Amino acid sequence: MMSRLNQTVVTEFVLQGFSEHPSLRLFLTGCFLSLYVMALMGNILIIALVTFSTGLHSPMYFFLCNLATMDIICTSSVLPKALVGLLSEENTISFKGCMAQLFFLVWSLSSELLLLTVMAYDRYVAICFPLHYSSRMSPQLCGALAMGVWSICALNASINTGLMTRLSFCGPKVITHFFCEIPPLLLLSCSPTYVNSIMTLIADVFYGGINFVLTLLSYGCIIANILRMRSAEGKRKAFSTCSSHLVVVSVYYSSVFCAYVSPASSYSPERSKVTSVLYSFLSPTLNPLIYTLRNKDVKLAIVRLLPSFSH
């Protein structure tokens, strides 16, 4: 009974944020607020376009709609609190609030990595087996894949957050980050973190390693198929259908690898903050831009949808 009472002495944490750079507060507030508004508007636009445009009712855009939803969850779990931290002298977060933020962040990040692999498979089927695309990527399979992604990643987030709540935090209570993340939290624990580190490593290998390899394999087959095409027009069309996804994958994986694929003992607060801005702020803001600017179908859907809103 006593061990349960003493389990969590710290009832709230202090998020260090960017307090070590007070001169940058105003600049960062403007940047983060702009990125948040752009991310919200861009991703809501993607969801609206896919929902209301019949021309976008295909597997690729269904998965893009899921990606946009995850981007909204990711930015909304981090950015509002980061903005509060920049505008206030001391940015505190309750233990429960910290665990909730951790859950939604892990859920959305792991979901995005898994979904990018599913989207790579979708492009692989579209380019390598175009005649069988509609039968292979049936609405039932797409729905099952999306449900699988959300469910598996919710389970992963629940396990990691549940393991974090079992740790004891006796102080200090300053998290050297602008949101609750696993590595800085583990450094603050005054109880053994071996199980947490093992589970984090397993998650890193699965989401960062296996998914990355599967995505590379998909694109290896896609590139090999494109190179075998005889017409230059065919090659151009095939590449244009997967170029947006390839750009998104490159940006996302590079930032996530920098942030997570390293042991907790070698955790660098400064490096982590920079890479976290890339995957939690910049990537969700860029994704809608990449998909709309490089996609004729989406541009056409915007043109068709605008008159319907004006009436």
Side-chain angles (χ1 to χ4, degrees):
M1 185 67 183
M2 283 301 291
S3 62
R4 284 184 63 84
L5 289 171
N6 293 331
Q7 198 172 39
T8 307
V9 178
V10 173
T11 56
E12 66 173 20
F13 293 104
V14 176
L15 292 166
Q16 186 191 62
F18 300 92
S19 56
E20 69 269 43
H21 304 292
S23 58
L24 294 175
R25 273 191 173 186
L26 198 63
F27 171 74
L28 289 172
T29 302
C31 284
F32 289 178
L33 186 61
S34 302
L35 285 171
Y36 188 44
V37 171
M38 285 174 67
L40 280 182
M41 288 177 65
N43 286 295
I44 289 169
L45 176 65
I46 291 283
I47 294 167
L49 286 173
V50 175
T51 305
F52 298 110
S53 304
T54 51
L56 300 182
H57 289 179
S58 68
M60 183 174 84
Y61 297 110
F62 169 71
F63 293 129
L64 179 58
C65 192
N66 276 267
L67 186 71
T69 306
M70 290 167 190
D71 278 338
I72 291 170
I73 293 171
C74 182
T75 51
S76 297
S77 65
V78 173
L79 258 167
K81 191 64 182 167
L83 287 166
V84 169
L86 285 166
L87 295 170
S88 58
E89 284 302 311
E90 189 177 42
N91 186 23
T92 59
I93 185 168
S94 67
F95 183 82
K96 287 181 179 178
C98 187
M99 293 303 107
Q101 189 180 60
L102 183 68
F103 172 82
F104 285 107
L105 189 70
V106 172
W107 186 31
S108 58
L109 290 178
S110 56
S111 294
E112 289 209 28
L113 288 168
L114 206 54
L115 189 70
L116 288 173
T117 306
V118 172
M119 291 172 82
Y121 174 72
D122 171 70
R123 293 299 82 209
Y124 160 73
V125 175
I127 291 167
C128 299
F129 304 98
L131 299 176
H132 304 283
Y133 180 68
S134 56
S135 60
R136 284 200 178 194
M137 299 302 292
S138 64
Q140 292 81 10
L141 177 66
C142 293
L145 285 170
M147 281 296 293
V149 167
W150 286 97
S151 304
I152 291 167
C153 297
L155 178 64
N156 169 55
S158 300
I159 291 168
N160 278 288
T161 308
L163 286 170
M164 193 65 74
T165 60
R166 291 173 62 86
L167 296 178
S168 297
F169 294 92
C170 323
K173 60 179 184 176
V174 179
I175 298 172
T176 56
H177 213 302
F178 57 89
F179 60 83
C180 291
E181 198 181 32
I182 292 172
L185 278 169
L186 292 183
L187 292 175
L188 292 180
S189 175
C190 54
S191 58
T193 59
Y194 180 74
V195 177
N196 298 69
S197 299
I198 292 295
M199 286 307 299
T200 305
L201 182 64
I202 291 169
D204 286 347
V205 169
F206 176 70
Y207 291 103
I210 294 172
N211 280 286
F212 183 63
V213 170
L214 289 172
T215 304
L216 282 181
L217 282 173
S218 295
Y219 273 102
C221 295
I222 288 168
I223 291 164
N225 195 275
I226 290 173
L227 292 174
R228 283 198 296 269
M229 291 178 182
R230 292 183 179 180
S231 70
E233 182 64 17
K235 286 181 179 180
R236 190 191 64 79
K237 278 186 178 179
F239 184 72
S240 67
T241 63
C242 62
S243 58
S244 298
H245 180 254
L246 194 56
V247 172
V248 169
V249 166
S250 303
V251 171
Y252 202 75
Y253 268 104
S254 56
S255 57
V256 168
F257 276 152
C258 287
Y260 284 99
V261 185
S262 61
S265 56
S266 65
Y267 174 74
S268 165
E270 288 299 314
R271 188 191 68 183
S272 185
K273 286 177 192 178
V274 173
T275 52
S276 297
V277 167
L278 290 176
Y279 69 73
S280 61
F281 298 178
L282 206 58
S283 186
T285 307
L286 290 176
N287 287 355
L289 289 172
I290 293 165
Y291 277 105
T292 51
L293 293 175
R294 298 180 64 86
N295 195 302
K296 288 180 182 177
D297 293 335
V298 176
K299 287 178 186 176
L300 191 64
I302 293 171
V303 172
R304 285 177 177 172
L305 203 64
L306 285 174
S308 65
F309 281 111
S310 60
H311 292 302

